[in-house]
């Protein structure tokens, strides 16, 4: 392993995820020179904030060596901006990740058209089928599907690409090896074998409320274009769409009923300039002109799966839920769990990862909230506001 990787890891840990690094790397192209510089030399460079300067003074290098050891034991790659396989699209971002921890083959995105597919964690059956079908079409045409490994649309996108025999990349909002969302563990193993799991967070780092928005810039950053499938006005997938716009990526959205709040976010994207898409070819057509040798539109499956009337009515969309005020008298843990709920459903594993509470405390809190008629359980052990 390149000995200089430890300095990239040290710099990443010190600055934190999503720090703007373009000016820093212009002044110090080699991170080991920042490590060797005195505080005064760092100050005179003019590229560090006082907070960053203070962090350099108390940085712990033992955690760097520990991360490298863990990766070596598990066969995980450490990819840094000076590596040949560091994705070129990410390298152009002002807040690019300085380290990517990889389980699988990050080289699968090299010389490929990459498309992000995101959406709500609580989709209707029709949207799941659409995400699977379009992702399968993208993969069949030679594109790589990028998503976040969450429940709902993310999972459907990964599965569609895998079932088509294509490549897909999952960008995690936690460190590799973290026991997060274990219901999707089998799918993550498939992804590692047919693409890559990647994270900018150190191995075993827990997810948090802020880590998912941070990883969204990587989903869009890795992608030539981003497709949003079913998103309400408060959906986290709109953060990915916003990142895509800021990064100069194409944004696509599946249009939905104007009478349903479940599609209000996606419809608003289209109103504001996103391209409406109904099949894989709609997304790939502009890229096929630019990269004719990388894509085969003929191989993309444009036919949408038939959804039976029974399937369509399995999970009828409810009117928009107005979150009730948190009931008084709840213990702090239960109150903290209730505060996590928004438009999307939550799985107990996700709640544990974000809140830091133990599984027993989370289950207890969910039971109290369910008995108080504030939440209800849906398919796949998920919970949603009632």
């Amino acid at each position: 392993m390149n000995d200089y990787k430890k300095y990239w890891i040290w710099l990443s840990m010190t600055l934190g995820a999503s720090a703007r690094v373009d000016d820093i790397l212009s002044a110090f192209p080699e991170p080991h020179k920042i490590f060797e510089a005195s505080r005064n030399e760092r100050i005179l460079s003019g590229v560090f904030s006082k907070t960053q300067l203070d962090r350099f003074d108390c940085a712990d290098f033992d955690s760097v060596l520990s991360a490298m050891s863990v990766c070596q034991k598990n066969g995980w790659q450490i990819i840094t901006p000076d590596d040949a396989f560091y994705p070129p699209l990410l390298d152009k971002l002002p807040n690019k990740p300085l380290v990517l921890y990889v389980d699988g083959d990050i080289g699968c995105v090299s010389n490929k058209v990459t498309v992000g597919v995101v959406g709500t964690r609580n989709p209707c059956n029709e949207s799941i089928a659409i995400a699977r079908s379009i992702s399968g079409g993208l993969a069949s045409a030679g594109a790589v599907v990028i998503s976040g490994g969450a429940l709902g649309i993310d999972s459907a996108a990964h599965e569609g690409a895998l079932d088509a025999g294509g490549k897909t990349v999952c960008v995690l909002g936690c460190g590799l090896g973290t026991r997060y969302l274990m219901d999707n563990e089998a799918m993550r193993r498939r992804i590692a074998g047919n693409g890559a799991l990647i994270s900018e967070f150190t191995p075993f780092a827990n997810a948090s409320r802020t880590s998912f928005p941070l990883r969204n810039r990587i989903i869009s950053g890795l992608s030539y274009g981003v497709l949003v499938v079913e998103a309400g006005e408060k959906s986290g997938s709109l953060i990915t769409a916003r990142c895509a716009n800021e990064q100069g990526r194409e944004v696509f959205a599946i249009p939905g009923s104007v009478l349903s709040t479940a599609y209000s976010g996606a419809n608003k994207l289209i109103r504001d300039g996103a391209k409406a898409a109904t099949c894989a070819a709609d997304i790939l057509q502009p890229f096929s002109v630019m990269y004719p040798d990388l894509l085969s539109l003929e191989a993309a499956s444009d036919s949408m799966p038939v959804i039976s009337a029974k399937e369509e009515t399995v999970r009828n969309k409810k009117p928009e839920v107005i979150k009730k005020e948190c009931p008084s008298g709840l213990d702090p843990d239960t109150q903290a769990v209730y505060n996590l709920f928004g438009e999307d459903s939550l799985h107990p594993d996700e709640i544990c990862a974000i809140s830091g509470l133990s599984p027993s405390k989370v289950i207890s809190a969910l039971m109290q909230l369910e008995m108080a008629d504030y939440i209800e359980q849906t398919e796949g052990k998920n919970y949603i506001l009632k």
Side-chain angles (χ1 to χ4, degrees), residues 103-358:
D103 183 4
D105 178 21
I106 191 63
C108 71
V109 301
S110 297
N111 298 315
K112 297 288 185 180
V113 172
T114 45
V115 179
V117 181
V118 296
T120 179
R121 287 176 291 184
N122 190 42
C124 66
N125 287 282
E126 180 178 333
S127 293
I128 291 174
I130 290 171
R132 280 180 177 154
S133 176
I134 288 182
S135 297
L138 293 171
S140 296
V144 177
V145 174
I146 315 292
S147 197
L151 300 171
I153 296 301
D154 285 16
S155 293
H158 290 304
E159 290 166 356
L162 291 168
D163 291 346
K167 301 290 185 181
T168 183
V169 171
C170 172
V171 186
L172 296 171
C174 56
L176 293 178
T178 304
R179 292 185 62 79
Y180 166 71
L181 201 58
M182 298 307 291
D183 284 3
N184 272 1
E185 184 181 17
M187 183 188 73
R188 291 197 294 268
R189 286 199 299 268
R190 286 185 70 196
I191 294 171
N194 294 274
L197 299 173
I198 69 172
S199 174
E200 70 175 320
F201 303 104
T202 53
F204 305 114
N206 289 323
S208 69
R209 191 178 297 191
T210 60
S211 63
F212 294 103
L214 293 177
R215 69 89 192 264
N216 290 349
R217 84 188 194 288
I218 300 180
I219 294 175
S220 57
L222 275 172
S223 307
Y224 284 86
V226 171
L227 171 68
V228 176
V229 183
E230 189 181 336
E233 280 195 62
K234 299 178 183 178
S235 174
S237 56
L238 298 186
I239 298 175
T240 310
R242 188 185 71 231
C243 291
N245 271 320
E246 293 171 352
Q247 295 162 348
R249 310 299 197 246
E250 293 280 2
V251 178
F252 304 86
I254 302 295
S257 170
V258 297
L259 301 178
S260 173
T261 59
Y263 301 100
S264 57
N267 287 338
K268 185 175 183 296
L269 287 175
I270 295 171
R271 186 194 71 191
D272 293 343
K275 297 179 180 179
T278 60
C279 61
D282 289 342
I283 300 164
L284 295 178
Q285 197 282 327
F287 302 119
S288 68
V289 175
M290 295 183 283
Y291 309 103
D293 296 335
L294 301 182
L295 295 170
S296 171
L297 292 187
E298 293 76 16
S301 173
D302 294 341
S303 60
M304 302 306 294
V306 177
I307 311 297
S308 70
K310 180 179 179 181
E311 286 178 316
E312 288 180 345
T313 56
V314 169
R315 288 174 61 197
N316 293 323
K317 286 290 176 182
K318 298 180 179 180
E320 184 176 3
V321 176
I322 305 300
K323 190 170 183 177
K324 304 172 188 175
E325 186 176 344
C326 192
S328 59
L330 290 180
D331 62 86
D333 290 342
T334 303
Q335 198 160 15
V337 169
Y338 183 67
N339 290 339
L340 294 177
F341 280 93
E343 182 177 276
D344 288 334
S345 63
L346 286 172
H347 189 277
D349 286 352
E350 293 180 288
I351 297 172
C352 288
I354 296 171
S355 67
L357 296 172
S358 66

Side-chain angles (χ1 to χ4, degrees), residues 15-39:
L15 297 179
S18 195
R20 190 178 178 106
V21 296
D22 51 348
D23 289 341
I24 293 172
L25 295 181
S26 293
F28 295 94
E30 299 170 315
H32 74 275
K33 292 185 177 179
I34 304 176
F35 181 82
E36 294 165 355
S38 66
R39 181 181 177 93

Side-chain angles (χ1 to χ4, degrees), residues 69-80:
S69 176
V70 166
C71 289
Q72 188 171 21
K73 288 178 181 177
N74 287 278
W76 298 332
Q77 292 178 281
I78 299 174
I79 304 296
T80 57

